[in-house]
Amino acid sequence: LRIRQLALVSALQLLSHLIKRTVQVKRRGLLFRDAGVQRRERAETYEEWLHAEQMLIAAEPPRHVSEQDRVFFDQLQERADNYTALQEAGDEYGLMFHLRSELMRKQVGGAGYSRDGSLWLRKHLAARTHIAAYQAHVCAALRYVGSGAAPASSSAAQRLAFINETRHAFGRTALLLSGGAAFGVKHLGV
């Protein structure tokens, strides 16, 4: 009789622990996330995959955004709004001035998009979202300047010079091979 009671109490404790754990997992949304991941992996069309991905993003708990990050996002939004206002006003020269002065390798506050390396961007969905929106505004502003659609548009030579200056500010990637592979072969004993 005691062994049965002990087994019954142990089973009830185990069941209680499992129920508690299930409630905790469900509260965190992990069960839904697993189902969403499975739905995304089983998607047969792009539309199904996109819907499952959007559901996963919507179910993701909001991360705490620090005050420094909030200021960074606000600066990006302020610049994007400024570009839009200048486009609507037809002020091509003002737009060129702001783009030329603000499009540098180290964006906003001297820290740039990288902040503490690319890990910051990968970890924060909010950062990717804000930066993608800002880049869309910048691309639209550059297209506006390049098209010459402003009422008092500059000459084609001036617009080309502006685009070349902007490209120069960003620089280009380069592959520099210094012959280090020869030393690597020596270290391998070849």
Side-chain angles (χ1 to χ4, degrees), residues 12-25:
L12 285 174
Q13 285 179 341
L14 180 64
L15 184 63
S16 171
H17 176 73
L18 289 175
I19 290 172
K20 231 190 262 185
R21 182 70 181 143
T22 304
V23 168
Q24 288 174 352
V25 167

Side-chain angles (χ1 to χ4, degrees), residues 84-105:
T84 303
L86 289 168
Q87 282 177 331
E88 290 172 356
D91 186 5
E92 183 179 292
Y93 289 104
L95 188 59
M96 287 168 62
F97 173 78
H98 283 284
L99 286 170
R100 186 180 289 123
S101 65
E102 294 170 356
L103 290 181
M104 295 295 163
R105 289 182 186 198

Side-chain angles (χ1 to χ4, degrees), residues 6-131:
L6 182 62
L8 184 61
V9 168
S10 297
L12 285 174
Q13 285 179 341
L14 180 64
L15 184 63
S16 171
H17 176 73
L18 289 175
I19 290 172
K20 231 190 262 185
R21 182 70 181 143
T22 304
V23 168
Q24 288 174 352
V25 167
K26 192 172 183 178
R27 217 176 265 156
R28 285 189 220 136
L30 294 179
L31 289 177
F32 175 77
R33 181 156 180 81
D34 289 342
V37 168
Q38 290 174 359
R39 194 176 311 123
R40 183 182 62 191
E41 290 172 354
R42 286 182 298 183
E44 294 181 4
T45 65
Y46 174 73
E47 288 77 19
E48 291 175 4
W49 178 88
L50 183 62
H51 178 69
E53 183 70 19
Q54 288 171 344
M55 295 297 286
L56 283 173
I57 289 172
E60 191 172 298
R63 291 202 169 129
H64 174 71
V65 178
S66 69
E67 185 61 31
Q68 181 182 6
D69 294 340
R70 176 82 50 217
V71 168
F72 174 70
F73 299 151
D74 290 344
Q75 287 175 340
L76 285 180
Q77 187 59 46
E78 185 179 313
R79 285 184 177 187
D81 293 342
N82 186 27
Y83 299 152
T84 303
L86 289 168
Q87 282 177 331
E88 290 172 356
D91 186 5
E92 183 179 292
Y93 289 104
L95 188 59
M96 287 168 62
F97 173 78
H98 283 284
L99 286 170
R100 186 180 289 123
S101 65
E102 294 170 356
L103 290 181
M104 295 295 163
R105 289 182 186 198
K106 293 193 176 237
Q107 297 274 334
V108 188
Y113 296 152
S114 62
R115 308 289 279 187
D116 299 320
S118 62
L119 180 64
W120 183 75
L121 286 177
R122 288 194 302 266
K123 286 174 73 176
H124 298 287
L125 177 66
R128 291 193 303 258
T129 305
H130 282 64
I131 290 170

Side-chain angles (χ1 to χ4, degrees), residues 109-181:
Y113 296 152
S114 62
R115 308 289 279 187
D116 299 320
S118 62
L119 180 64
W120 183 75
L121 286 177
R122 288 194 302 266
K123 286 174 73 176
H124 298 287
L125 177 66
R128 291 193 303 258
T129 305
H130 282 64
I131 290 170
Y134 172 71
Q135 288 174 341
H137 282 281
V138 169
C139 289
L142 288 171
R143 281 190 199 96
Y144 179 79
V145 169
S147 70
S153 182
S154 58
S155 69
Q158 288 175 322
R159 291 194 310 269
L160 181 62
F162 164 74
I163 296 295
N164 284 332
E165 289 170 10
T166 305
R167 185 186 68 204
H168 180 71
F170 276 112
R172 294 184 183 181
T173 57
L175 177 62
L176 302 174
L177 301 174
S178 63

